[in-house]
Amino acid sequence: MKKVLKNVSFVFLLLKMCIVFGQETSTQKRIVIDVGHGGKDSGAIGINGIQEKDIVMNIANAILKLNNKLDKPLAIYLTRYSDTLISLTDRTKLVKALKADLFVSLHYNHSDNPNTRGIEIYVAPSKSEYSEQSVWLAYQLQNQIKKQLGFESRGVKFANFQVLRYTIEYCSSVLFEIGFLSNLDEKSYFTNDTNVTMLAHTLLIFLIHADL
């Protein structure tokens, strides 16, 4: 029953998105923010039991809140709006259905070494018409985060993650590892609402100026 309810919920979400999509102007950028993990999939678990799925949800909600205050809000869609597990395949279907211009997947890292820190941004190694632009956007995002927030960076990297491998066929696509929950400083940073808002603001500025 739970699986049926999840599938019905996602179909309803797709329908809702497509209705809104039909009301947009043709020039408006359509951006899908993939809120990593959810439901029974907690993702990385950090110090004091903090969970990746919760932090990325907080950041995504903060982006939506700031976006709604703009005079001309971006057309931003989330792959989940609550603590729900959405399959990787369904996340890709949403990108395809919306004919998205950009897919940004939000995640948090974990390491056995508590001193490991820094952001990482991934793009798919597979080739498509969106590959070069994805790499360019990844570097732009890295530079924006370093400049505005002073975060250390572990670089832009290639990885064959399923959400990247499948979405790169439809639009520019990046996966953003925001930091390490296993690092005390980075974990503590995002338990502060003000810091979450600062990151959300930086990400929104990146989305506004992304050349798509």
Side-chain angles (χ1 to χ4, degrees):
M1 179 59 73
K2 288 183 179 180
K3 184 176 182 180
V4 172
L5 289 175
K6 179 192 80 71
N7 289 338
V8 170
S9 175
F10 189 78
V11 170
F12 177 76
L13 174 62
L14 271 177
L15 179 61
K16 180 180 178 182
M17 297 304 189
C18 290
I19 290 173
V20 175
F21 165 50
Q23 298 172 347
E24 295 173 8
T25 63
S26 59
T27 58
Q28 192 172 23
K29 293 184 287 190
R30 292 178 295 280
I31 298 164
V32 173
I33 295 180
D34 177 35
V35 189
H37 308 282
K40 65 181 181 181
D41 179 9
S42 63
I45 299 177
I47 301 169
N48 298 330
I50 192 169
Q51 297 184 28
E52 177 181 3
K53 66 174 184 176
D54 296 327
I55 295 187
V56 292
M57 187 79 259
N58 290 342
I59 293 169
N61 282 331
I63 293 172
L64 288 183
K65 185 176 180 179
L66 292 172
N67 184 56
N68 289 336
K69 294 179 180 179
L70 297 177
D71 292 335
K72 293 183 179 180
L74 300 177
I76 296 177
Y77 307 92
L78 307 185
T79 53
R80 64 180 179 92
Y81 289 82
S82 61
D83 188 16
T84 306
L85 179 60
I86 305 298
S87 72
L88 299 181
T89 299
D90 282 344
R91 295 170 196 247
T92 304
K93 287 179 180 178
L94 183 62
V95 170
K96 184 178 180 181
L98 289 170
K99 297 182 179 179
D101 297 296
L102 176 61
F103 175 86
V104 180
S105 189
L106 300 180
H107 288 269
Y108 246 91
N109 246 324
H110 188 280
S111 174
D112 291 334
N113 182 351
N115 295 318
T116 303
R117 61 189 300 139
I119 64 171
E120 293 178 338
I121 303 173
Y122 289 90
V123 294
S126 52
K127 297 297 182 181
S128 83
E129 63 179 294
Y130 304 104
S131 296
E132 289 187 6
Q133 187 179 50
S134 295
V135 174
W136 169 251
L137 289 171
Y139 277 106
Q140 292 300 305
L141 176 56
Q142 172 191 250
N143 294 341
Q144 184 83 3
I145 296 296
K146 289 172 62 179
K147 179 180 178 181
Q148 299 300 325
L149 300 178
F151 285 16
E152 297 178 25
S153 177
R154 295 165 58 85
V156 172
K157 303 179 180 181
F158 292 96
N160 198 30
F161 296 131
Q162 184 174 327
V163 289
L164 293 180
R165 184 171 69 248
Y166 289 169
T167 56
I168 194 64
E169 297 299 321
Y170 306 112
C171 66
S172 298
S173 177
V174 299
L175 186 147
F176 181 27
E177 293 276 8
I178 302 167
F180 283 80
L181 290 182
S182 47
N183 181 283
L184 181 59
D185 290 339
E186 293 190 342
K187 187 277 298 185
S188 299
Y189 186 90
F190 288 108
T191 57
N192 181 293
D193 291 341
T194 299
N195 292 336
V196 168
T197 301
M198 288 174 59
L199 174 62
H201 180 265
T202 302
L203 287 171
L204 183 58
I205 295 300
F206 162 74
L207 296 174
I208 290 171
H209 295 289
D211 186 13
L212 301 173

